[in-house]
Structures are given as C-alpha cells and as structure tokens.
Amino acid sequence: MKSSTHRIASVTLAVVMAAGAASAMAQVMVGGAPMYPTKDIVDNAVNSKDHTTLVAALKAAGLVETLKGPGPFTVFAPTNDAFAVLPDGTVDMLLKSENKAKLTTILTYHVVPGKLDATALTKEIMAGKGMASLKTVSGGTLTAKASGGKVMVTDENGNTAHVTTADVIQSNGVIHVIDKVLLPK
C-alpha cells in the first residue's frame, strides 16, 4: 500500500514538474522581462525588475564573470522581496566591500553545480524518497522537497523558500526563482 501511494505521489509530482518544464519552452517572463535561453544567467538576470538586489549583490561579490562562464549552473534566485524581508540594514551591510567574503558565501550558497531543471530535480527528489540533498558551490547543503506540486528548498538553518518560477533556461544553466534568501550555517 505504501509503495503504491509513493508511486502515485511520484507520478503526480513528475506530471506537475513536466507541465512547468513544458511552459518553460514558451517565452518565460521574469520581473517583467523576457528570459532568453540563448543568454547567460547574468545577461538575463540584469533585465528582471524582480532581481535588481541580486544583480547588485553579484556585482559587489565579484561573481558576474563566474556566472557568465560556461557552467552549467543551477541558480536558486531570490527576488527583491525576498531580500527585503531580511532584517533592516542586512543588505546594505552585505554590499560593503569589507563584507565581500560573507556576501560571496551567501550568494554561492544559492548555486548548485550542473543543470538541475525541473525534470532532473524531480528525479533527485524521487530517488531520495521525497527529498534531495544539493551540494552548493559554497560547500553547504540545500534540501529540496516537493509537496502539493510545489518545490521547496530548505537551507541548513531550517528556512524554506518556495520555487515560484521553475525552469528559466539559460545558455549556461537554469534559474529557479525563489521567494526567500537561503542562508548557510
């Protein structure tokens, strides 16, 4: 009985994620701007009105050239609203040059080597019996789970972000837009 329930949940998740992937084949809009699969992560992100804080942080951390590189990368990209809910002054503090190392660690905690589109992420979650551990570029671990057809990513502190837009395909990877900033231990 338990295995058939798991199988039904797995099939349901795969169908929902595949539907998201199919819609990604159409022109994806993020932050009011079209995202082009022929452009790299940075070239697309700079056009999103929802990711101006992330772009400013990438510039301050010196990560622009890295994320313009060949990759592939999977980026869990927090929106401006996600940064806005951090305690007052946090973003300004992180953008100061003396905090570059800390900012770099936080930003690379949102990056996983390789291209984990919705289909690949679903396979990882199913293979992990409902959860996938994702090793980040910073050396930390994110945990991905799915519930009710939605993917959630949890940091090492127990904070959970929801993927609000999956499969924003890039020439050097994929972006999944998330609604919270994830923080390493």
Side-chain angles (χ1 to χ4, degrees), residues 52-65 91-104 107:
T52 56
T53 305
L54 177 61
V55 170
L58 290 172
K59 289 176 181 176
L63 292 172
V64 169
E65 286 308 311
V91 174
D92 290 335
M93 181 268 304
L94 287 171
L95 293 176
K96 291 182 179 178
S97 60
E98 64 265 23
N99 296 318
K100 183 177 178 178
K102 183 175 181 118
L103 178 61
T104 300
L107 293 174

Side-chain angles (χ1 to χ4, degrees), residues 29-144:
M29 300 288 284
V30 175
M35 298 289 113
Y36 298 102
T38 56
K39 290 187 175 184
D40 63 52
I41 290 166
V42 175
D43 287 347
N44 272 318
V46 297
N47 293 317
S48 169
K49 291 181 194 128
D50 290 344
H51 291 91
T52 56
T53 305
L54 177 61
V55 170
L58 290 172
K59 289 176 181 176
L63 292 172
V64 169
E65 286 308 311
T66 300
L67 291 177
K68 287 180 76 54
F73 306 104
T74 299
V75 177
F76 293 97
T79 62
N80 293 343
D81 289 343
F83 280 101
V85 297
L86 292 173
D88 284 346
T90 301
V91 174
D92 290 335
M93 181 268 304
L94 287 171
L95 293 176
K96 291 182 179 178
S97 60
E98 64 265 23
N99 296 318
K100 183 177 178 178
K102 183 175 181 118
L103 178 61
T104 300
T105 299
I106 291 169
L107 293 174
T108 57
Y109 189 65
H110 290 80
V111 181
V112 175
K115 183 179 179 183
L116 284 174
D117 62 7
T119 301
L121 192 53
T122 299
K123 285 180 185 175
E124 295 255 347
I125 292 169
M126 288 178 7
K129 297 185 180 4
M131 92 168 67
S133 290
L134 308 174
K135 196 70 158 169
T136 69
V137 171
S138 72
T141 302
L142 297 172
T143 303

